[in-house]
């Protein structure tokens, strides 16, 4: 900010060149005023008058201050909202990943015969994790059904073999499974029993 009266002299000199001027001055009260000098032609003699307009800088910049403050507050609110969304999303992703991991761990325990049952993965969202959990659950159910059928067939084979060991050839293996090789074994054993009985 420049305080000397030279601002007015400079404005008057520029007015003679038909140029407008703007400057700020610090008043004795401590307030800053903004000045605008407009060159006005008088007649056709090339003489210009100066029209000075002044306004307190804080009033002149009131809208700019409001926009600045509003922008800062809006930016802070936006950052907080984005941080909240990011934190919520990360927590949801972690929960979904833990659910899938836990479900797969339980399924592997079931496959390794360390437990007799397995639980479905509980994810009800419609995002990629929900689709993944649904697909895994469908495959776990298929494998569980197939494993149970295999176990029932093998238990049936043991019973028939024990019955044959007691000298009876009239029992047959009646359980079935989706496993091709076990079904083939069942058919071979039943054919062998029929031949032996005959």
């Amino acid at each position: 900010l420049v305080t000397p009266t030279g601002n007015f002299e400079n404005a008057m000199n520029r007015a003679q060149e038909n140029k407008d001027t703007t400057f700020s001055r610090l008043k004795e009260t401590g307030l800053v005023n903004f000045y605008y000098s407009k060159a006005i032609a008088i007649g056709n003699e090339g003489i210009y008058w100066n029209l000075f307009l002044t306004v307190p800088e804080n009033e002149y910049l009131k809208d700019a201050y409001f926009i600045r403050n509003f922008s800062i507050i809006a930016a802070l609110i936006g950052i907080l909202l984005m941080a909240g969304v990011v934190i919520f999303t990360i927590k949801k992703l972690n929960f979904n990943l833990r659910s899938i991991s836990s479900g797969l761990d339980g399924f592997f325990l079931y496959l390794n015969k360390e437990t007799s049952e397995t639980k479905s993965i509980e994810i009800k969202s419609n995002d990629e994790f929900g689709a993944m959990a649904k697909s895994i659950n469908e495959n776990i159910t298929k494998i569980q059904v197939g494993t149970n059928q295999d176990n029932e067939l093998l238990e049936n084979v043991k019973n028939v073999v024990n019955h044959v060991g007691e000298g009876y050839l009239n029992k047959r293996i009646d359980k079935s499974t989706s496993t091709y090789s076990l079904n083939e074994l069942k058919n071979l054993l039943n054919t062998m029993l029929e031949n032996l009985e005959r």
Side-chain angles (χ1 to χ4, degrees), residues 30-100:
L31 294 175
V32 177
N33 277 12
F34 178 79
Y35 289 85
Y36 175 72
S37 166
K38 174 70 179 171
I40 301 173
I42 303 295
N44 293 324
E45 300 175 9
I47 299 173
Y48 293 91
W49 283 47
N50 264 12
L51 174 64
F52 284 95
L53 300 173
T54 182
V55 64
E57 193 174 59
N58 58 351
E59 185 179 326
Y60 172 72
L61 296 175
K62 182 171 66 173
D63 289 340
Y65 291 150
F66 172 78
I67 292 170
R68 180 199 65 189
N69 294 339
F70 178 80
S71 299
I72 291 171
I73 291 169
L76 289 174
I77 291 172
I79 289 169
L80 289 174
L81 286 174
M82 286 175 55
V85 168
V86 168
I87 289 169
F88 173 77
T89 304
I90 288 172
K91 284 188 175 181
K92 187 176 178 185
L93 287 174
N94 283 338
F95 173 78
N96 289 341
L97 286 172
R98 279 197 305 272
S99 296
I100 289 175

Side-chain angles (χ1 to χ4, degrees), residues 92-198:
K92 187 176 178 185
L93 287 174
N94 283 338
F95 173 78
N96 289 341
L97 286 172
R98 279 197 305 272
S99 296
I100 289 175
S101 176
S102 175
L104 288 174
D105 287 343
F107 176 62
F108 291 135
L109 290 173
Y110 171 76
L111 280 181
N112 292 326
K113 305 205 183 311
E114 295 177 37
T115 183
S116 59
E117 61 180 25
T118 183
K119 293 180 181 177
S120 297
I121 298 170
E122 295 293 332
I123 296 180
K124 296 179 181 175
S125 59
N126 293 324
D127 56 8
E128 290 80 4
F129 284 104
M132 187 187 304
K134 183 180 176 186
S135 176
I136 291 172
N137 285 338
E138 287 171 357
N139 283 293
I140 285 175
T141 302
K142 284 180 188 175
I143 293 170
Q144 194 171 15
V145 167
T147 302
N148 289 340
Q149 288 176 344
D150 292 350
N151 291 338
E152 287 175 7
L153 176 64
L154 292 173
E155 193 62 36
N156 190 200
V157 168
K158 280 197 270 182
N159 289 337
V160 171
V161 168
N162 285 335
H163 198 66
V164 170
E166 294 171 359
Y168 301 100
L169 301 173
N170 59 337
K171 280 203 172 184
R172 299 293 179 265
I173 302 165
D174 54 9
K175 298 290 183 184
S176 294
T177 181
S178 56
T179 305
Y180 174 78
S181 57
L182 288 179
N183 274 332
E184 192 175 17
L185 174 64
K186 165 194 156 180
N187 293 334
L188 288 171
L189 288 173
N190 282 339
T191 303
M192 181 186 72
L193 289 172
E194 287 170 9
N195 291 336
L196 285 172
E197 189 177 22
R198 274 201 304 272

